[in-house]
Amino acid sequence: MKNKNYYAILMAGGVGSRFWPVSTQDFPKQFHDMLGTGDTLIQKTFHRLANLIPKENIFILTNELYNDLVFEQLPEVTKRQVVLEPAMRNTAPCILYAALKIQKENKDAVMIVAPSDHWIEDEQTFTNNVQQAFNFCSTNNALMTLGIQPTFPNTGYGYIEFDKASTNAIKPVHQFREKPDYETAKSFIKQGNFLWNAGIFMWSVKSVVEAFENNQPELFKLFEKGISVYNTDAEDDFIAKNYPNAENISVDYAIMETSKNVFVLPAEFDWNDLGTWGSLYDKLDKDESGNAVVNARTLTEDASGNMIRTKTDKIVVVDGLSDYIIVDKDEVLLIFPKEKEQDIKKVLQKVKQKFGENYG
C-alpha cells in the first residue's frame, strides 16, 4: 500500500522552445517521445513518480492549452488531478495554488514538485532518494531540494552551495547561486560543496504554505482568498478571475532563496534535464561516427557528431556535415550548428515574423 499522505506536483506547462521545430507552443516537448523509447517525457515522469506516490495523488500542473493533451497521454488521471493555469506566471504562483488545494484535501500531505521533462534512468535510486527526503520533511519544518552532483563546470545551470561542515546525508543549504561563467563554475566544482539545481523540491504542505505566507505575503493573500472554493465547482471561476493578478516569480526567488530552513540531498541517480538538442544528443546512443539518430534511417559519409531526428523510418542521407542538428518535422526542416543551439529561440522568433505564428 502506498502512503496516502504522499503527493506530487508534476510541472508540465513549459513550451520548450529550444527543441523547436519538434516542440511548439501547441505541442511542447513534454508531450513528445524525445528519445524514441515509446513513452513521452510526461508519461515517463508520471510512471516514475507512481513508483512511490499513489497515482490519484499525482497532480499535473499545466497550461489550459494542454488540458486535452494531458488526458490523451495520461488516461488514468481524473479532472481533479489536472490543475490548469489560465496565464503563465512562472513556478511560484502555480505551486502555491496546488499546495493550498492539496492542504485542503489532506493537511498531513508531503509532496514533491518535479518537472515533466527530466530524463532519469535509475528509477529505483530516484525513488529511494525521494523517500529519504519525504521521511525528513514529515518530521522537520524543512524546504528540501534534490541537488545533482556536477560532472563538469556547466554554465547553463544554477548551483546550490551546501554547508561543508555537515556530516549528515541531508545538508543545510548555505545559498543558491545563479548560472555562473566558466571560471566560476570551475571554482564551484573544485570547492566540492556545490550541486546543480535541478528544480526538484520536497516539503510538507504545512511548511511550504507557511514559507509563502512569511516570504510572499501578497501572493499568499491572493490565493488564500480562494481556500473556501478550492476543490469545488466554484474554483475555476475564482482562478480565472484572480490568477492573472499573481506576480510572475519563480519558486526559487519566492521562497527558496530567502528561507532559513532549506536543505539539500545530493542525489545519487543519473539525471539529464533535456533542455536542448545538445543535451538530448549527449543522452542518446551514437553510431560508429558519433551521430545520434531518432526515428530516421541514415546513410552517412564523412558525417560525425550530428543530432538527427525525423518522423519514423524517414531515410536521411548526410555527406560532409559534422556537429549539426538536423531535425525534420512536418513542413519545417532545421539544419543548425550544435555550437549555436542556444540561438534556436531567436531563430524561432525570426521564423514566426517571416512565415507566421503557425510555425512556432
Side-chain angles (χ1 to χ4, degrees), residues 153-186:
N154 195 315
T155 58
Y157 301 142
Y159 284 70
I160 302 162
E161 182 183 355
F162 63 81
D163 182 357
K164 221 172 188 173
S166 174
T167 54
N168 298 324
I170 293 171
K171 302 178 183 302
V173 169
H174 181 54
Q175 61 179 327
F176 288 83
R177 303 289 287 267
E178 295 296 315
K179 293 174 184 176
D181 59 32
Y182 185 70
E183 289 305 316
T184 308
K186 279 206 305 195

Side-chain angles (χ1 to χ4, degrees), residues 24 29 172 243 283 306:
T24 62
K29 68 173 176 176
Y243 199 96
K283 198 71 213 154
N306 296 302

Side-chain angles (χ1 to χ4, degrees), residues 157-294:
Y157 301 142
Y159 284 70
I160 302 162
E161 182 183 355
F162 63 81
D163 182 357
K164 221 172 188 173
S166 174
T167 54
N168 298 324
I170 293 171
K171 302 178 183 302
V173 169
H174 181 54
Q175 61 179 327
F176 288 83
R177 303 289 287 267
E178 295 296 315
K179 293 174 184 176
D181 59 32
Y182 185 70
E183 289 305 316
T184 308
K186 279 206 305 195
S187 77
F188 285 173
I189 289 180
K190 197 174 176 186
Q191 287 175 64
N193 63 323
F194 283 81
L195 303 165
W196 288 338
N197 182 359
I200 304 172
F201 306 106
M202 283 104 359
W203 39 55
S204 68
V205 286
K206 183 175 184 296
S207 293
V208 72
V209 168
E210 193 176 279
F212 273 107
E213 189 173 5
N214 292 339
N215 293 289
Q216 298 294 329
E218 290 305 309
L219 194 64
F220 178 77
K221 275 181 206 153
L222 178 68
F223 284 96
E224 185 194 30
K225 288 187 302 187
I227 286 176
S228 62
V229 299
Y230 292 152
N231 310 336
T232 74
D233 291 342
E235 179 181 334
D236 291 350
D237 286 344
F238 172 83
I239 289 299
K241 186 177 162 193
N242 290 279
Y243 199 96
N245 299 326
E247 185 184 352
N248 189 328
I249 184 171
S250 74
V251 75
D252 299 73
Y253 280 122
I255 60 171
M256 298 302 282
E257 295 183 10
T258 47
S259 298
K260 303 291 181 223
N261 56 333
V262 182
F263 294 83
V264 64
L265 174 63
E268 296 164 312
F269 51 84
D270 62 301
W271 174 85
N272 189 309
D273 83 329
L274 292 188
T276 62
W277 286 114
S279 65
L280 181 63
Y281 172 86
D282 292 340
K283 198 71 213 154
L284 291 163
D285 293 334
K286 320 288 188 293
D287 66 15
E288 62 279 4
S289 300
N291 298 303
V293 181
V294 178

